[in-house]
Amino acid sequence: MVDTKVFLSGIELSNPIIPASGTFGFGAEFERFYDLNILGSISLKGTTAQPRFGNPTPRIAECPSGMLNSVGLQNPGVLEVCETELPRLKEVYIKPVVANISGFSIEEYVECALAMDSQEQVGIIEVNISCPNVHGGGMSFGVSPKAAAEVTRAVKDVCSKPVYIKLSPNVSNIAEIALACEKAGADGISLINTLLAMRIDLKTKKPLLANVMGGLSGPAIFPVALRMVYEVYKAVSIPIIGMGGVSSAEDVIEMMLAGASAVQVGAANLKNPFACKEIIETLPAAMEKYGIDSLSEIIGGAH
Amino acid sequence: MKKDIFTILTNEKLAKDVFKMTLQGDTSEIKASGQFVNIELSGLFLRRPISVCDLEGDVLTLIYKTVGEGTEQMSRLSKGDKLDLLTGLGNGYDITKCGEKLLLAGGGVGVPPLYLLARQLIKTGKIPSVILGFNSKEDVFFEDEFKALGAEVFVTTADGSYGIKGFVTDAIAQIKSWDYSFACGPEAMLKAVYDCSEKDGQFSFEERMGCGFGACMGCSCKTKYGAKRICVEGPVLEKEEIIW
């Protein structure tokens, strides 16, 4: 029997698989597909202080081995999430969840973090400072070490639960930003968010996405994500949740060897709603194949 | 929603760039006309959503137009080939809500979902007037199939090369009495049908989708009752909730 259990800031996960924010709704949407309790945890749809419709459509485009989205943080607002979505999820999922929050100002991040911190089922607050689809918000905090540290400190000040900062890959030195977050008190780092990208419609000769640019995800970005997890692992000593194009048990093992303590699966859920279930089911065999007895022992093993 | 492997029984050309495919598999999750399936294709990351044209036991009929890499790949498949489908997606038409004198208006590849709808309505004793709108004679399909169901059928072509010259709304003017409509087609056509009368109806919309089952929020639209996902709370919207 192989051991798939891992820990994030003292929280035990039966396995490292977490559906990534924005690809799993608020969880309950997937309950009709399989028993969600097989998941290590769930990262909820990015939530803001106020309700948001998001960007105009088309919001989705495709590329070889991946997809682009410019959803723009559509969500019903933190109050609705706490009053409706979390109670709905609690009926079908018993483990601690990752609450992904976003904002347009430090005050909004704090408001959202405060509300989530008081929710019993929230185990980790994941602060998204990396949404590429929202002008003037999200990512602007994630591209400067100083701004990233400020958000981290402000959220940490009001939260009793572990705070993970979700970083943008659209920077020249991601390790520097991760280090700034660690110094500001972050309990962990999540990376990577999507890569800023675009497509042009050859028929109209105009950008395919109404928002012009969007975030690239899927297997196309896996090697980039892996490299960044590797770099950040070298720079910080807090746990890392690795993500970006993970689609198989082998990808999970690779991510953990690069330095991830847990792994999020994103775009793969949209192509195959059973992706996380299939990865969890094939993980033990993949571990055996590569002579791994315990997953927690391989974290950072490639260094 | 269900995920199942379907086997292709037939795949044939119906009109210019338009193909009809029949497939066999687990269709138990398909509950209404106007729903769609989402098809995985080789080498493409996203699935391709195609509306259900007809359903008979475990045999599903799809009609699709080759507009890009995915549908072109579909057109090259043949009998015995397998496809991975998510079925039972979307809300579909609600036939418990309509009146007695029904108008069905379809434009181009908006025509197929009206076929199962017409068949279901006729089963309940309601004979609809059906308008099929196309660009040109070479695009026309399913006129005979709708007639065979017993529906009153009008065909329009934008260039006048077949049937009534003009758009579906030009044919609506010829229909004496109707009190409720079902429509599916390009947004401009839907808007024209919406604007041509005060009568109630259901309109099926199209949008680029990520997942097709409500997870990614890629296909959201604004309605009078807030944001709705075309893939879950749609593709069919009630006339009174639509915001153009």
Side-chain angles (χ1 to χ4, degrees), chain A residues 75-98:
Chain A
N75 79 94
V78 72
L79 278 182
E80 176 73 10
V81 170
C82 293
E83 280 170 16
T84 309
E85 298 294 349
L86 284 171
R88 228 173 101 195
L89 178 59
K90 199 175 180 177
E91 284 174 22
V92 294
Y93 189 68
I94 57 166
K95 300 178 182 178
V97 297
V98 178

PDB file of all heavy atoms in Angstrom, chain A residues 75-98:
ATOM      1  N   ASN A  75     -18.538  35.905 -10.190  1.00  0.00           N
ATOM      2  CA  ASN A  75     -18.907  35.228  -8.933  1.00  0.00           C
ATOM      3  C   ASN A  75     -20.015  36.020  -8.251  1.00  0.00           C
ATOM      4  O   ASN A  75     -20.208  37.197  -8.525  1.00  0.00           O
ATOM      5  CB  ASN A  75     -17.681  35.074  -8.024  1.00  0.00           C
ATOM      6  CG  ASN A  75     -17.321  36.345  -7.293  1.00  0.00           C
ATOM      7  OD1 ASN A  75     -17.736  36.574  -6.164  1.00  0.00           O
ATOM      8  ND2 ASN A  75     -16.563  37.221  -7.957  1.00  0.00           N
ATOM      9  N   PRO A  76     -20.765  35.359  -7.370  1.00  0.00           N
ATOM     10  CA  PRO A  76     -21.933  36.024  -6.765  1.00  0.00           C
ATOM     11  C   PRO A  76     -21.596  36.943  -5.592  1.00  0.00           C
ATOM     12  O   PRO A  76     -22.506  37.468  -4.959  1.00  0.00           O
ATOM     13  CB  PRO A  76     -22.796  34.845  -6.322  1.00  0.00           C
ATOM     14  CG  PRO A  76     -21.841  33.727  -6.098  1.00  0.00           C
ATOM     15  CD  PRO A  76     -20.667  33.944  -7.004  1.00  0.00           C
ATOM     16  N   GLY A  77     -20.298  37.111  -5.278  1.00  0.00           N
ATOM     17  CA  GLY A  77     -19.913  37.955  -4.145  1.00  0.00           C
ATOM     18  C   GLY A  77     -19.774  37.125  -2.878  1.00  0.00           C
ATOM     19  O   GLY A  77     -20.415  36.082  -2.719  1.00  0.00           O
ATOM     20  N   VAL A  78     -18.928  37.582  -1.968  1.00  0.00           N
ATOM     21  CA  VAL A  78     -18.547  36.750  -0.820  1.00  0.00           C
ATOM     22  C   VAL A  78     -19.723  36.433   0.108  1.00  0.00           C
ATOM     23  O   VAL A  78     -19.798  35.341   0.675  1.00  0.00           O
ATOM     24  CB  VAL A  78     -17.356  37.388  -0.054  1.00  0.00           C
ATOM     25  CG1 VAL A  78     -17.768  38.623   0.726  1.00  0.00           C
ATOM     26  CG2 VAL A  78     -16.700  36.363   0.871  1.00  0.00           C
ATOM     27  N   LEU A  79     -20.674  37.355   0.255  1.00  0.00           N
ATOM     28  CA  LEU A  79     -21.809  37.089   1.150  1.00  0.00           C
ATOM     29  C   LEU A  79     -22.632  35.917   0.650  1.00  0.00           C
ATOM     30  O   LEU A  79     -22.974  35.002   1.401  1.00  0.00           O
ATOM     31  CB  LEU A  79     -22.695  38.337   1.254  1.00  0.00           C
ATOM     32  CG  LEU A  79     -22.223  39.387   2.245  1.00  0.00           C
ATOM     33  CD1 LEU A  79     -23.210  40.542   2.295  1.00  0.00           C
ATOM     34  CD2 LEU A  79     -22.051  38.767   3.636  1.00  0.00           C
ATOM     35  N   GLU A  80     -22.935  35.958  -0.650  1.00  0.00           N
ATOM     36  CA  GLU A  80     -23.719  34.890  -1.268  1.00  0.00           C
ATOM     37  C   GLU A  80     -22.967  33.552  -1.189  1.00  0.00           C
ATOM     38  O   GLU A  80     -23.569  32.503  -0.946  1.00  0.00           O
ATOM     39  CB  GLU A  80     -24.020  35.278  -2.725  1.00  0.00           C
ATOM     40  CG  GLU A  80     -24.752  34.242  -3.547  1.00  0.00           C
ATOM     41  CD  GLU A  80     -26.221  34.096  -3.182  1.00  0.00           C
ATOM     42  OE1 GLU A  80     -26.730  34.931  -2.413  1.00  0.00           O
ATOM     43  OE2 GLU A  80     -26.834  33.121  -3.668  1.00  0.00           O
ATOM     44  N   VAL A  81     -21.647  33.618  -1.408  1.00  0.00           N
ATOM     45  CA  VAL A  81     -20.851  32.390  -1.328  1.00  0.00           C
ATOM     46  C   VAL A  81     -20.946  31.792   0.077  1.00  0.00           C
ATOM     47  O   VAL A  81     -21.157  30.591   0.244  1.00  0.00           O
ATOM     48  CB  VAL A  81     -19.379  32.658  -1.731  1.00  0.00           C
ATOM     49  CG1 VAL A  81     -18.496  31.441  -1.424  1.00  0.00           C
ATOM     50  CG2 VAL A  81     -19.283  33.010  -3.216  1.00  0.00           C
ATOM     51  N   CYS A  82     -20.827  32.642   1.082  1.00  0.00           N
ATOM     52  CA  CYS A  82     -20.887  32.149   2.462  1.00  0.00           C
ATOM     53  C   CYS A  82     -22.287  31.673   2.844  1.00  0.00           C
ATOM     54  O   CYS A  82     -22.453  30.706   3.576  1.00  0.00           O
ATOM     55  CB  CYS A  82     -20.433  33.235   3.441  1.00  0.00           C
ATOM     56  SG  CYS A  82     -18.687  33.638   3.286  1.00  0.00           S
ATOM     57  N   GLU A  83     -23.299  32.359   2.330  1.00  0.00           N
ATOM     58  CA  GLU A  83     -24.674  32.023   2.733  1.00  0.00           C
ATOM     59  C   GLU A  83     -25.279  30.879   1.933  1.00  0.00           C
ATOM     60  O   GLU A  83     -26.116  30.140   2.436  1.00  0.00           O
ATOM     61  CB  GLU A  83     -25.572  33.257   2.608  1.00  0.00           C
ATOM     62  CG  GLU A  83     -25.422  34.185   3.784  1.00  0.00           C
ATOM     63  CD  GLU A  83     -26.123  35.517   3.571  1.00  0.00           C
ATOM     64  OE1 GLU A  83     -26.964  35.620   2.654  1.00  0.00           O
ATOM     65  OE2 GLU A  83     -25.807  36.459   4.321  1.00  0.00           O
ATOM     66  N   THR A  84     -24.886  30.746   0.658  1.00  0.00           N
ATOM     67  CA  THR A  84     -25.521  29.751  -0.200  1.00  0.00           C
ATOM     68  C   THR A  84     -24.571  28.646  -0.656  1.00  0.00           C
ATOM     69  O   THR A  84     -24.869  27.463  -0.501  1.00  0.00           O
ATOM     70  CB  THR A  84     -26.125  30.431  -1.450  1.00  0.00           C
ATOM     71  OG1 THR A  84     -26.922  31.523  -1.010  1.00  0.00           O
ATOM     72  CG2 THR A  84     -26.985  29.467  -2.250  1.00  0.00           C
ATOM     73  N   GLU A  85     -23.438  29.056  -1.229  1.00  0.00           N
ATOM     74  CA  GLU A  85     -22.564  28.057  -1.854  1.00  0.00           C
ATOM     75  C   GLU A  85     -21.878  27.154  -0.826  1.00  0.00           C
ATOM     76  O   GLU A  85     -21.817  25.940  -1.017  1.00  0.00           O
ATOM     77  CB  GLU A  85     -21.519  28.737  -2.743  1.00  0.00           C
ATOM     78  CG  GLU A  85     -22.113  29.539  -3.913  1.00  0.00           C
ATOM     79  CD  GLU A  85     -22.817  28.668  -4.945  1.00  0.00           C
ATOM     80  OE1 GLU A  85     -22.682  27.423  -4.894  1.00  0.00           O
ATOM     81  OE2 GLU A  85     -23.518  29.229  -5.808  1.00  0.00           O
ATOM     82  N   LEU A  86     -21.324  27.736   0.221  1.00  0.00           N
ATOM     83  CA  LEU A  86     -20.624  26.903   1.210  1.00  0.00           C
ATOM     84  C   LEU A  86     -21.570  25.920   1.921  1.00  0.00           C
ATOM     85  O   LEU A  86     -21.231  24.742   2.062  1.00  0.00           O
ATOM     86  CB  LEU A  86     -19.843  27.774   2.203  1.00  0.00           C
ATOM     87  CG  LEU A  86     -18.534  28.352   1.634  1.00  0.00           C
ATOM     88  CD1 LEU A  86     -17.922  29.373   2.586  1.00  0.00           C
ATOM     89  CD2 LEU A  86     -17.523  27.243   1.354  1.00  0.00           C
ATOM     90  N   PRO A  87     -22.770  26.357   2.359  1.00  0.00           N
ATOM     91  CA  PRO A  87     -23.692  25.381   2.955  1.00  0.00           C
ATOM     92  C   PRO A  87     -24.074  24.261   1.980  1.00  0.00           C
ATOM     93  O   PRO A  87     -24.232  23.106   2.380  1.00  0.00           O
ATOM     94  CB  PRO A  87     -24.923  26.225   3.308  1.00  0.00           C
ATOM     95  CG  PRO A  87     -24.405  27.618   3.449  1.00  0.00           C
ATOM     96  CD  PRO A  87     -23.280  27.730   2.476  1.00  0.00           C
ATOM     97  N   ARG A  88     -24.200  24.611   0.677  1.00  0.00           N
ATOM     98  CA  ARG A  88     -24.532  23.608  -0.339  1.00  0.00           C
ATOM     99  C   ARG A  88     -23.398  22.586  -0.449  1.00  0.00           C
ATOM    100  O   ARG A  88     -23.617  21.389  -0.551  1.00  0.00           O
ATOM    101  CB  ARG A  88     -24.703  24.323  -1.686  1.00  0.00           C
ATOM    102  CG  ARG A  88     -25.959  23.936  -2.446  1.00  0.00           C
ATOM    103  CD  ARG A  88     -26.112  24.806  -3.660  1.00  0.00           C
ATOM    104  NE  ARG A  88     -25.691  24.108  -4.852  1.00  0.00           N
ATOM    105  CZ  ARG A  88     -25.447  24.708  -6.014  1.00  0.00           C
ATOM    106  NH1 ARG A  88     -25.570  26.012  -6.128  1.00  0.00           N
ATOM    107  NH2 ARG A  88     -25.096  24.017  -7.053  1.00  0.00           N
ATOM    108  N   LEU A  89     -22.172  23.106  -0.455  1.00  0.00           N
ATOM    109  CA  LEU A  89     -21.011  22.225  -0.583  1.00  0.00           C
ATOM    110  C   LEU A  89     -20.869  21.327   0.646  1.00  0.00           C
ATOM    111  O   LEU A  89     -20.528  20.151   0.531  1.00  0.00           O
ATOM    112  CB  LEU A  89     -19.745  23.076  -0.786  1.00  0.00           C
ATOM    113  CG  LEU A  89     -18.418  22.314  -0.898  1.00  0.00           C
ATOM    114  CD1 LEU A  89     -18.443  21.325  -2.066  1.00  0.00           C
ATOM    115  CD2 LEU A  89     -17.255  23.281  -1.073  1.00  0.00           C
ATOM    116  N   LYS A  90     -21.177  21.898   1.816  1.00  0.00           N
ATOM    117  CA  LYS A  90     -21.018  21.157   3.072  1.00  0.00           C
ATOM    118  C   LYS A  90     -21.866  19.879   3.095  1.00  0.00           C
ATOM    119  O   LYS A  90     -21.495  18.890   3.726  1.00  0.00           O
ATOM    120  CB  LYS A  90     -21.399  22.055   4.255  1.00  0.00           C
ATOM    121  CG  LYS A  90     -20.845  21.569   5.566  1.00  0.00           C
ATOM    122  CD  LYS A  90     -21.130  22.510   6.694  1.00  0.00           C
ATOM    123  CE  LYS A  90     -20.529  21.943   7.982  1.00  0.00           C
ATOM    124  NZ  LYS A  90     -20.716  22.857   9.091  1.00  0.00           N
ATOM    125  N   GLU A  91     -22.976  19.923   2.373  1.00  0.00           N
ATOM    126  CA  GLU A  91     -23.846  18.742   2.340  1.00  0.00           C
ATOM    127  C   GLU A  91     -23.207  17.571   1.607  1.00  0.00           C
ATOM    128  O   GLU A  91     -23.584  16.421   1.806  1.00  0.00           O
ATOM    129  CB  GLU A  91     -25.176  19.092   1.656  1.00  0.00           C
ATOM    130  CG  GLU A  91     -26.095  19.883   2.549  1.00  0.00           C
ATOM    131  CD  GLU A  91     -27.346  20.336   1.819  1.00  0.00           C
ATOM    132  OE1 GLU A  91     -27.703  19.709   0.797  1.00  0.00           O
ATOM    133  OE2 GLU A  91     -27.941  21.323   2.266  1.00  0.00           O
ATOM    134  N   VAL A  92     -22.272  17.880   0.695  1.00  0.00           N
ATOM    135  CA  VAL A  92     -21.705  16.796  -0.110  1.00  0.00           C
ATOM    136  C   VAL A  92     -20.198  16.618   0.095  1.00  0.00           C
ATOM    137  O   VAL A  92     -19.603  15.684  -0.437  1.00  0.00           O
ATOM    138  CB  VAL A  92     -21.983  17.025  -1.619  1.00  0.00           C
ATOM    139  CG1 VAL A  92     -23.470  16.926  -1.900  1.00  0.00           C
ATOM    140  CG2 VAL A  92     -21.429  18.360  -2.111  1.00  0.00           C
ATOM    141  N   TYR A  93     -19.566  17.529   0.833  1.00  0.00           N
ATOM    142  CA  TYR A  93     -18.117  17.453   1.003  1.00  0.00           C
ATOM    143  C   TYR A  93     -17.757  17.777   2.438  1.00  0.00           C
ATOM    144  O   TYR A  93     -18.145  18.838   2.954  1.00  0.00           O
ATOM    145  CB  TYR A  93     -17.433  18.434   0.040  1.00  0.00           C
ATOM    146  CG  TYR A  93     -15.929  18.298  -0.023  1.00  0.00           C
ATOM    147  CD1 TYR A  93     -15.351  17.155  -0.571  1.00  0.00           C
ATOM    148  CD2 TYR A  93     -15.089  19.291   0.468  1.00  0.00           C
ATOM    149  CE1 TYR A  93     -13.976  17.011  -0.621  1.00  0.00           C
ATOM    150  CE2 TYR A  93     -13.708  19.154   0.419  1.00  0.00           C
ATOM    151  CZ  TYR A  93     -13.156  18.008  -0.127  1.00  0.00           C
ATOM    152  OH  TYR A  93     -11.791  17.868  -0.188  1.00  0.00           O
ATOM    153  N   ILE A  94     -17.030  16.874   3.098  1.00  0.00           N
ATOM    154  CA  ILE A  94     -16.817  17.034   4.541  1.00  0.00           C
ATOM    155  C   ILE A  94     -15.452  17.611   4.907  1.00  0.00           C
ATOM    156  O   ILE A  94     -15.210  17.974   6.043  1.00  0.00           O
ATOM    157  CB  ILE A  94     -17.016  15.689   5.280  1.00  0.00           C
ATOM    158  CG1 ILE A  94     -16.072  14.616   4.700  1.00  0.00           C
ATOM    159  CG2 ILE A  94     -18.458  15.220   5.196  1.00  0.00           C
ATOM    160  CD1 ILE A  94     -15.938  13.375   5.564  1.00  0.00           C
ATOM    161  N   LYS A  95     -14.532  17.696   3.918  1.00  0.00           N
ATOM    162  CA  LYS A  95     -13.152  18.102   4.260  1.00  0.00           C
ATOM    163  C   LYS A  95     -12.978  19.626   4.193  1.00  0.00           C
ATOM    164  O   LYS A  95     -13.799  20.324   3.605  1.00  0.00           O
ATOM    165  CB  LYS A  95     -12.185  17.444   3.282  1.00  0.00           C
ATOM    166  CG  LYS A  95     -12.231  15.920   3.307  1.00  0.00           C
ATOM    167  CD  LYS A  95     -11.279  15.368   2.260  1.00  0.00           C
ATOM    168  CE  LYS A  95     -11.310  13.861   2.196  1.00  0.00           C
ATOM    169  NZ  LYS A  95     -10.413  13.350   1.146  1.00  0.00           N
ATOM    170  N   PRO A  96     -11.876  20.123   4.752  1.00  0.00           N
ATOM    171  CA  PRO A  96     -11.595  21.563   4.641  1.00  0.00           C
ATOM    172  C   PRO A  96     -11.371  21.966   3.176  1.00  0.00           C
ATOM    173  O   PRO A  96     -10.805  21.187   2.404  1.00  0.00           O
ATOM    174  CB  PRO A  96     -10.302  21.747   5.442  1.00  0.00           C
ATOM    175  CG  PRO A  96     -10.144  20.516   6.262  1.00  0.00           C
ATOM    176  CD  PRO A  96     -10.837  19.415   5.542  1.00  0.00           C
ATOM    177  N   VAL A  97     -11.823  23.163   2.811  1.00  0.00           N
ATOM    178  CA  VAL A  97     -11.666  23.634   1.433  1.00  0.00           C
ATOM    179  C   VAL A  97     -10.719  24.833   1.371  1.00  0.00           C
ATOM    180  O   VAL A  97     -10.399  25.452   2.391  1.00  0.00           O
ATOM    181  CB  VAL A  97     -13.023  24.035   0.801  1.00  0.00           C
ATOM    182  CG1 VAL A  97     -13.949  22.832   0.718  1.00  0.00           C
ATOM    183  CG2 VAL A  97     -13.675  25.176   1.566  1.00  0.00           C
ATOM    184  N   VAL A  98     -10.282  25.135   0.159  1.00  0.00           N
ATOM    185  CA  VAL A  98      -9.433  26.293  -0.088  1.00  0.00           C
ATOM    186  C   VAL A  98     -10.329  27.408  -0.626  1.00  0.00           C
ATOM    187  O   VAL A  98     -10.979  27.243  -1.660  1.00  0.00           O
ATOM    188  CB  VAL A  98      -8.339  25.959  -1.127  1.00  0.00           C
ATOM    189  CG1 VAL A  98      -7.474  27.176  -1.424  1.00  0.00           C
ATOM    190  CG2 VAL A  98      -7.482  24.776  -0.664  1.00  0.00           C
TER     191      VAL A  98
END
